[in-house]
Amino acid sequence: MSETSTVIIVGSSRSTGNTAELAIAIASKLKASIIDLNQYQIAPFDYEFRNRDDDFLTLMKQVLSFDRIILATPMYWYAPSAIMKTFMDRISDLLKVEKDLGRQLRSKKAALLGTGCDAIPAACFEQVFQLTFAYLGMAYQGMLYASCEKDFVHDQHLLAIERFTESLHAE
C-alpha cells in the first residue's frame, strides 16, 4: 500500500501559536507538508469573482496535488478562525468557476485539527467541517482537538497525537 501524501493547512491568527504547534506535531508523524494561510493573500468570496488575482487558485492547485487535506484551526467562538473561514468560503470558486479543480476534491481524504481553551470542543465546531467535506464528496477521517489552557504542551497530547495518526494510517 502506498503512503498517502498529506498537506496540513493552518489557518490561525498566529503562525506560531497552539494550532501551528499541533500541526507540526502531526506533520512530523505523517511526513506531511504544512501551509500557513497567513503567507497568502486570499480575498473573501465574491459573487462576481473579482478576486481571481489573489493567491487562492494557485494555492488550491498546490493543495490538490496531495491525497489528504487536513485543515487546522483554533476554535474561536465555536467556529473556525476568520482566515480559515475565508479559505473555506473560497472553495465556492471551485464549484462555480473552476469546476475541474473542484471535482478533484471528490477523491481526497480530509481531517481536522483544532485547538482551543475548552476541555471539549462544541459539536458545532466539528460539524462545520464534517458537512463541508461531505458536500464536497471528501472522505472525512476525523478530528484531533487539543485543549490548550495557555500554551500547547506537546507532552500533554502525545497519546492523542499517536492515536490520531495511527487512525489516519489505518484508513
Side-chain angles (χ1 to χ4, degrees), residues 137-150:
M138 299 174 76
Y140 183 57
Q141 297 183 298
M143 175 179 76
L144 173 59
Y145 176 82
S147 177
C148 306
E149 191 171 319
K150 286 191 177 205

Side-chain angles (χ1 to χ4, degrees), residues 23-38:
I24 290 167
I26 296 297
S28 69
K29 296 273 188 190
L30 298 176
K31 298 182 182 116
S33 297
I34 295 178
I35 292 173
D36 177 4
L37 290 178
N38 287 320

Side-chain angles (χ1 to χ4, degrees), residues 7 9 56-57 59-71 87-96 98-111 132-140:
V7 64
I9 302 171
F56 179 74
L57 287 177
L59 174 60
M60 283 308 297
K61 289 173 184 173
Q62 178 185 348
V63 166
L64 289 168
S65 70
F66 292 90
D67 303 315
R68 179 188 298 123
I69 301 167
I70 300 176
L71 300 183
F87 174 79
M88 293 170 67
D89 286 349
R90 285 298 297 280
I91 292 173
S92 297
D93 291 16
L94 305 184
L95 305 177
K96 303 286 184 190
E98 298 289 336
K99 294 179 182 181
D100 289 341
L101 291 177
R103 284 185 200 88
Q104 292 178 43
L105 289 168
R106 292 182 194 154
S107 64
K108 305 299 178 186
K109 296 175 182 177
T132 299
F133 295 141
Y135 183 83
L136 296 170
M138 299 174 76
Y140 183 57

Side-chain angles (χ1 to χ4, degrees), residues 39-57:
Q39 303 302 313
Y40 297 86
Q41 295 297 316
I42 301 175
F45 176 74
D46 174 10
Y47 284 99
E48 305 295 322
F49 303 102
R50 291 176 290 213
N51 50 16
R52 296 177 57 86
D53 291 332
D54 69 4
D55 295 332
F56 179 74
L57 287 177

Side-chain angles (χ1 to χ4, degrees), residues 11-28:
S12 177
S13 296
R14 296 183 302 160
S15 292
T16 59
N18 296 334
T19 305
E21 291 295 321
L22 178 59
I24 290 167
I26 296 297
S28 69

